């Protein structure tokens, strides 16, 4: 299935993108936090500045710290002392010096405070002309690393170590992700297959277990409902087809008797001319009823695939010409002349069809021209070929120069699912049923039918059939 790998790729892409975004977001947040810890100068720099600013008083031998430097220490809640270089005693300190801070230091004490703390106060030393300046900050202000020594090889190889660690973390994240979602993927695959099978009208059953068991149960229930509906629909379609066949059979017998007696009365010399004309009308309308019954039966068989197709290799030019000749012989009064307009260069158009159905379809199109042009019209029949992107078609075209068809009616015929109109207008019904059969015949041969307004001003219908290449 193509959907499952696509789903996995999408999940992995989202995971990878999320990991990259989180990595850079963490870098930005870490930088912001680190920079926020020391918005001004570092305590080491401050210690140097205090050592440079501290001045010895000329009168009493004490020391004076400028007000600006003193204010900076006050704002930081820091204290300061000056340790004499010779005596290693405190010779100056700020007023806020904690009482527990010693006033005399050994070399060991100085080394310790330089590296870390005095009485848990983080200290930062700085140079002064008369000794060592030491600044002390609140106990919770800074954390100092007491032993800041690193192996040189470790520092030199730190980029490589960092890259390897990031790679290992990435692989570990992917493994955890795949393992955690493997069960979900196993549940998704049958669900996807089941959904894809639903439109095929085949029964679907998915094991109702795993994370998506509730969804699987819903799909199984939907499949059962569809199967039940399809079964009921087939029963209705079968009943409808049987009803049409039964009614048609029952009508044929009395209709044959009506046509037989009407034919005898038509030739009876004892009847008046008016009675014979009425009898002719009865005979013609009876023939139309018989043709409608035949069309109804054929349409029903084609709709339910009950009409067997005896397909052979045929010449579409010959089939269309034979249908044209039949109507030329029938047009005794010359009101519906048929003109053969096929290009003389086209002598063979091979198609793989049931020749009787194709001739019936062409005949229906010709009858359609006749039935909708009571004042007469010229019928044009032609055969041509058409090449598309991946297919070649043979086109049997029937058109006339009669009253034509409106755009609204043409749209209705092309958009409605079928053309058996429930209307009192007999011509409307005949028109729709005849075209329905043509469309069904074309579809049963892998083709189609196109209707449009004719270049001659009337109606045009094309039967498109695939060219036979075998």
């Amino acid at each position: 299935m193509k959907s499952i790998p696509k789903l996995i790729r999408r999940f992995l892409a989202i995971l990878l993108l999320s990991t990259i975004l989180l990595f850079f977001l963490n870098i930005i947040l870490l930088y912001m936090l680190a920079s926020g810890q020391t918005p001004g100068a570092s305590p080491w720099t401050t210690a140097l500045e205090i050592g440079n600013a501290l001045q010895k008083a000329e009168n009493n031998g004490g020391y004076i710290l400028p007000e600006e430097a003193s204010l900076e220490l006050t704002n930081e809640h820091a204290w300061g002392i000056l340790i004499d270089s010779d005596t290693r005693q405190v010779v100056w300190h700020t007023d806020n010096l904690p009482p527990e801070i010693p006033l005399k230091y050994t070399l060991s004490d100085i080394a310790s405070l330089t590296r870390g703390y005095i009485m848990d106060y983080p200290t930062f030393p700085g140079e002064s002309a008369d000794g060592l300046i030491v600044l002390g900050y609140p106990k919770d202000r800074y954390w100092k690393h007491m032993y800041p020594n690193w192996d040189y090889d470790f520092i030199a190889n730190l980029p490589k170590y960092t890259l390897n660690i990031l790679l290992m973390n990435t692989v570990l994240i992917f493994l955890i992700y795949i393992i955690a979602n493997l069960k979900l993927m196993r549940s998704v695959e049958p669900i996807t297959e089941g959904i894809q099978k639903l439109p095929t009208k085949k029964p679907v059953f998915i094991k109702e277990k795993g994370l998506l068991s509730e969804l699987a149960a819903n799909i199984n229930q939907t499949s059962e409902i569809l199967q039940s509906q399809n079964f009921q629909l087939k029963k209705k379609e079968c009943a409808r087809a049987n009803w049409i066949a039964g009614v048609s059979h029952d009508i044929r017998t009395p209709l044959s008797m009506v046509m037989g007696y009407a034919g005898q009365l038509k030739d009876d010399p004892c009847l008046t001319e008016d009675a014979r004309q009425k009898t002719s009308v009865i005979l013609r309308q009876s023939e139309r009823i018989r043709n409608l019954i035949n069309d109804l039966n054929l349409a029903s068989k084609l709709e339910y695939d009950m009409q067997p197709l005896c397909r052979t290799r045929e010449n579409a030019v010959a089939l269309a010409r034979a249908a044209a000749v039949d109507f030329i012989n029938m047009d005794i009064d010359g009101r519906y002349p048929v003109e053969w307009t096929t290009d003389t260069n086209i002598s063979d158009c091979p198609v793989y069809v049931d020749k009787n159905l194709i001739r019936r379809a062409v005949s229906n199109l010709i009858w359609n021209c006749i039935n909708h042009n009571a004042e007469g019209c010229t019928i044009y029949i032609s055969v041509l070929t058409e090449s598309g992107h991946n297919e070649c078609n043979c086109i049997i075209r029937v058109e006339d120069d009669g009253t034509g068809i409106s755009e609204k009616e043409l749209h209705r015929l092309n958009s409605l699912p079928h053309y058996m109109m429930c209307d009192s207008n007999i011509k409307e019904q005949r028109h729709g049923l005849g075209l329905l059969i043509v469309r069904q015949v074309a579809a049963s041969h892998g083709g189609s039918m196109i209707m449009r307004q004719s270049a001659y001003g009337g109606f045009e219908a094309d039967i498109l059939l695939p060219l036979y290449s075998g």
Side-chain angles (χ1 to χ4, degrees):
M1 291 181 58
K2 297 181 179 179
S3 57
I4 296 299
K6 184 178 180 181
L7 185 63
I8 295 175
R9 288 196 299 270
R10 178 169 294 182
F11 283 165
L12 291 178
I14 293 174
L15 176 63
L16 181 60
L17 181 61
S18 301
T19 304
I20 295 174
L21 289 177
L22 285 175
F23 174 76
F24 285 104
L25 180 61
N26 289 333
I27 294 293
I28 294 173
L29 290 176
L30 182 61
Y31 173 78
M32 292 174 63
L33 289 174
S35 61
Q37 294 298 317
T38 55
S42 70
W44 299 96
T45 305
T46 304
L48 292 176
E49 292 176 351
I50 296 298
N52 294 329
L54 187 63
Q55 300 175 0
K56 192 171 184 179
E58 296 180 356
N59 298 331
N60 55 9
Y63 291 88
I64 300 175
L65 183 64
E67 184 179 355
E68 182 179 354
S70 179
L71 182 61
E72 183 177 355
L73 292 178
T74 302
N75 292 335
E76 290 288 335
H77 301 286
W79 48 264
I81 60 175
L82 174 62
I83 302 174
D84 185 72
S85 300
D86 298 328
T87 63
R88 294 186 291 278
Q89 291 185 353
V90 175
V91 296
W92 171 88
H93 63 78
T94 57
D95 296 336
N96 61 341
L97 181 68
E100 65 268 25
I101 300 300
L103 298 179
K104 187 175 182 179
Y105 295 88
T106 63
L107 291 177
S108 178
D109 293 335
I110 293 175
S112 178
L113 70 85
T114 301
R115 189 170 64 230
Y117 302 82
I118 298 177
M119 306 301 290
D120 295 331
Y121 290 94
T123 54
F124 300 89
E127 296 180 0
S128 177
D130 297 326
L132 181 67
I133 281 289
V134 178
L135 299 184
Y137 287 82
K139 295 179 180 181
D140 57 355
R141 183 68 174 87
Y142 291 105
W143 176 85
K144 296 182 69 177
H145 186 34
M146 298 290 290
Y147 305 98
N149 60 296
W150 301 94
D151 184 83
Y152 181 82
D153 290 337
F154 174 78
I155 298 299
N157 295 318
L158 186 59
K160 182 175 67 175
Y161 293 155
T162 304
L163 182 61
N164 289 336
I165 291 173
L166 288 176
L167 182 60
M168 291 175 60
N169 288 338
T170 303
V171 172
L172 182 60
I173 290 174
F174 273 98
L175 287 177
I176 294 174
Y177 176 82
I178 292 175
I179 293 173
N181 289 277
L182 185 60
K183 192 173 183 180
L184 177 62
M185 294 302 176
R186 290 176 178 174
S187 300
V188 169
E189 184 173 359
I191 295 293
T192 307
E193 292 178 352
I195 294 175
Q196 290 179 339
K197 285 183 180 179
L198 285 178
T200 63
K201 299 182 180 180
K202 295 181 180 179
V204 176
F205 177 77
I206 305 172
K207 293 183 179 180
E208 300 175 6
K209 63 178 184 178
L211 299 175
L212 302 177
S213 58
E214 185 176 354
L215 182 57
N218 291 335
I219 293 176
N220 292 336
Q221 184 179 5
T222 302
S223 177
E224 292 176 1
I225 294 174
L226 291 177
Q227 292 300 313
S228 177
Q229 291 177 346
N230 290 335
F231 177 74
Q232 296 298 329
L233 183 60
K234 287 181 180 179
K235 285 182 61 177
K236 292 180 180 179
E237 290 177 348
C238 183
R240 176 187 172 190
N242 292 333
W243 181 83
I244 291 175
V247 171
S248 300
H249 180 270
D250 293 341
I251 292 177
R252 281 195 182 97
T253 300
L255 184 61
S256 299
M257 296 178 64
V258 171
M259 294 181 66
Y261 288 131
Q264 294 178 9
L265 291 174
K266 178 183 176 182
D267 299 330
D268 190 351
C270 298
L271 292 179
T272 63
E273 183 64 25
D274 181 63
R276 280 198 296 270
Q277 290 181 358
K278 293 179 179 180
T279 303
S280 298
V281 172
I282 294 173
L283 185 59
R284 286 196 303 272
Q285 295 303 320
S286 298
E287 290 177 350
R288 295 192 64 180
I289 293 175
R290 182 184 62 187
N291 292 335
L292 281 172
I293 293 172
N294 292 335
D295 286 350
L296 186 61
N297 277 328
L298 180 58
S300 178
K301 291 180 179 180
L302 291 172
E303 183 177 356
Y304 301 117
D305 296 328
M306 299 170 59
Q307 175 66 30
L309 298 180
C310 301
R311 300 176 68 170
T312 56
R313 195 270 191 199
E314 301 290 341
N315 182 6
V317 177
L319 295 178
R321 184 185 291 113
V325 170
D326 291 340
F327 278 87
I328 291 174
N329 295 332
M330 292 173 56
D331 186 29
I332 300 175
D333 54 3
R335 295 174 56 204
Y336 300 98
V338 177
E339 292 192 10
W340 181 257
T341 58
T342 302
D343 193 331
T344 55
N345 294 326
I346 301 177
S347 59
D348 184 29
C349 191
V351 289
Y352 189 63
V353 296
D354 184 324
K355 64 178 182 180
N356 292 326
L357 286 180
I358 297 301
R359 287 188 61 175
R360 176 67 177 276
V362 177
S363 299
N364 278 12
L365 293 180
I366 298 175
W367 274 115
N368 186 74
C369 297
I370 294 174
N371 292 332
H372 290 82
N373 293 282
E375 302 300 324
C377 67
T378 301
I379 301 172
Y380 304 90
I381 302 176
S382 59
V383 179
L384 55 153
T385 59
E386 178 186 60
S387 298
H389 295 290
N390 299 318
E391 59 182 9
C392 296
N393 292 320
C394 174
I395 302 176
I396 302 176
R397 176 169 297 168
V398 178
E399 50 189 331
D400 60 60
D401 58 359
T403 57
I405 186 172
S406 65
E407 288 290 344
K408 180 178 179 181
E409 182 68 12
L410 186 62
H411 174 74
R412 184 181 66 85
L413 291 177
N414 280 314
S415 59
L416 287 178
H418 60 78
Y419 307 110
M420 289 186 282
M421 304 297 298
C422 296
D423 201 318
S424 59
N425 190 333
I426 296 178
K427 290 185 178 181
E428 186 80 11
Q429 291 176 336
R430 173 60 180 169
H431 178 97
L433 191 56
L435 293 181
L436 170 64
I437 292 175
V438 176
R439 184 180 292 279
Q440 289 177 323
V441 169
S444 65
H445 290 85
S448 60
M449 182 184 70
I450 299 176
M451 293 175 289
R452 59 170 68 95
Q453 292 181 344
S454 171
Y456 296 100
F459 179 76
E460 174 188 323
D462 295 348
I463 303 175
L464 279 69
L465 299 171
L467 281 174
Y468 182 63
S469 57

